[in-house]
Amino acid sequence: MADKSAFVVSPDWLQERLGQPGLSILDASWYFPFLNRDAEGEYKAAHIPGAVFFDHEKLSDPDSSLPHTLPKPEAFAAAVSSMGITNSDTIVVYDGPGMNTSPRVWWMLRVMGAKNVFVLDGGFDNWKNDGRPVTSEVTKIAPSAFIADFQADKVASFADMRGIVDTGSRQIADARAAGRFVGKDPEPRAGLRSGHMPGARNVPSSTLADKGYLKNLTDLRQVLDEAGVDLSRPLVTSCGSGITAAVITLALESLGHRNNILYDGSWSEWGAHADTPVATGEAEQ
């Protein structure tokens, strides 16, 4: 197991600990509207026993025009407290397909000060397919107090990205699919230009996992190396709206890379501006 990420837990590990005090489980599933899937409805129909639903739409900044923006620390703390979660809990986050939206919540919790946060390897689909326990029962939530300790230096703003693109002070790793990165495929959100930030490297989030399971450390390192990512340099991760960028963050942290930040506005912000530089085609190596 030495070649596996320290930030993921196996289905066996979680199943053995279901119901233990101090363990909190979050269903962080989210799907693009065109997929016609109701994440919360699916959660209510079947979830891991003890899991609470994490709503990406509700747990975002209501004052932002961008999707999935990190909420204010006070609002995040209040919402997470209402889920029965404390800072000292061991928190396990999962999503349907695995390694899709759960790393975003893993990242959010860590940025807000939680220490013991993990992603369920394989996700809920594999959990169900393996015949592991599921329930439709409403999870009982005990009163709790989550205290936010916001790590602002782990989040990149639009102004930060302007500087990074201009100076190359950090490498940029973009988690969107290759077609969107090179500008061949349209963005799923209206009003956005196609392409990528100059100097960015394309690391599609799907290349970091295999059937919902995060790849081992050797393979993660190979994927990043082949994408032209230099792990000795500072990095910023990006994607469409800041969600799958966290899959790259999870891979980086798993490999011991700590000097990384996440561009929360991502392409939803950069691609909407008329005056931001946009490159198309393959990234220069």
Side-chain angles (χ1 to χ4, degrees):
M1 295 296 289
D3 200 31
K4 289 291 288 183
S5 170
F7 298 110
V8 301
V9 295
S10 70
D12 284 343
W13 185 98
L14 181 58
Q15 186 171 345
E16 289 169 2
R17 290 163 176 78
L18 290 179
Q20 288 188 1
L23 174 69
S24 290
I25 308 171
L26 291 177
D27 183 328
S29 302
W30 178 88
Y31 304 102
F32 274 114
F34 66 78
L35 293 174
N36 295 316
R37 291 186 66 173
D38 177 3
E40 187 170 12
E42 291 184 22
Y43 161 81
K44 290 177 179 177
H47 53 264
I48 295 175
V52 177
F53 184 69
F54 185 102
D55 191 323
H56 287 266
E57 304 299 340
K58 292 179 180 177
L59 270 134
S60 61
D61 186 355
D63 298 325
S64 174
S65 61
L66 299 169
H68 312 131
T69 307
L70 201 64
K72 302 291 190 297
E74 301 78 14
F76 185 86
V80 172
S81 295
S82 72
M83 298 177 190
I85 296 172
T86 69
N87 299 67
S88 62
D89 285 353
T90 296
I91 307 168
V92 177
V93 189
Y94 72 86
D95 62 54
M99 300 304 151
N100 185 32
T101 55
S102 50
R104 166 70 181 191
V105 177
W106 167 86
W107 174 81
M108 291 175 75
L109 285 160
R110 283 162 53 87
V111 163
M112 292 295 182
K115 304 298 183 186
N116 301 309
V117 194
F118 305 91
V119 176
L120 175 63
D121 216 10
F124 189 53
D125 291 348
N126 281 307
W127 178 278
K128 288 187 295 183
N129 291 339
D130 290 343
R132 299 180 187 275
V134 301
T135 184
S136 59
E137 292 182 8
V138 176
T139 298
K140 295 179 180 178
I141 298 174
S144 70
F146 183 92
I147 310 300
D149 179 18
F150 182 43
Q151 315 295 308
D153 61 345
K154 299 296 285 185
V155 186
S157 68
F158 178 67
D160 292 333
M161 291 308 300
R162 284 276 204 181
I164 290 168
V165 170
D166 286 347
T167 65
S169 58
R170 287 179 180 270
Q171 281 197 301
I172 305 167
D174 189 325
R176 291 175 300 152
R180 292 168 64 189
F181 180 85
V182 301
K184 181 182 68 176
D185 296 338
E187 288 295 309
R189 296 177 179 87
L192 302 182
R193 291 179 292 161
S194 296
H196 58 268
M197 286 171 268
R201 300 289 184 262
N202 190 205
V203 187
S205 57
S206 61
T207 64
L208 298 169
D210 183 15
K211 298 178 181 177
Y213 295 90
L214 188 68
K215 290 182 176 179
N216 63 43
L217 301 185
T218 300
D219 290 345
L220 289 177
R221 191 179 300 274
Q222 181 178 345
V223 170
L224 292 166
D225 182 62
E226 290 177 353
V229 172
D230 183 351
L231 292 172
S232 69
R233 292 186 56 200
L235 274 149
V236 57
T237 62
S238 181
C239 60
S241 66
I243 288 187
T244 57
V247 183
I248 304 179
T249 305
L250 176 61
L252 293 171
E253 292 283 334
S254 299
L255 291 166
H257 189 285
R258 299 291 179 259
N259 193 355
N260 62 80
I261 58 179
L262 187 148
Y263 177 26
D264 201 32
S266 282
W267 198 254
S268 293
E269 183 171 47
W270 191 270
H273 282 263
D275 63 342
T276 47
V278 171
T280 55
E282 300 292 339
E284 295 181 7
Q285 296 293 327

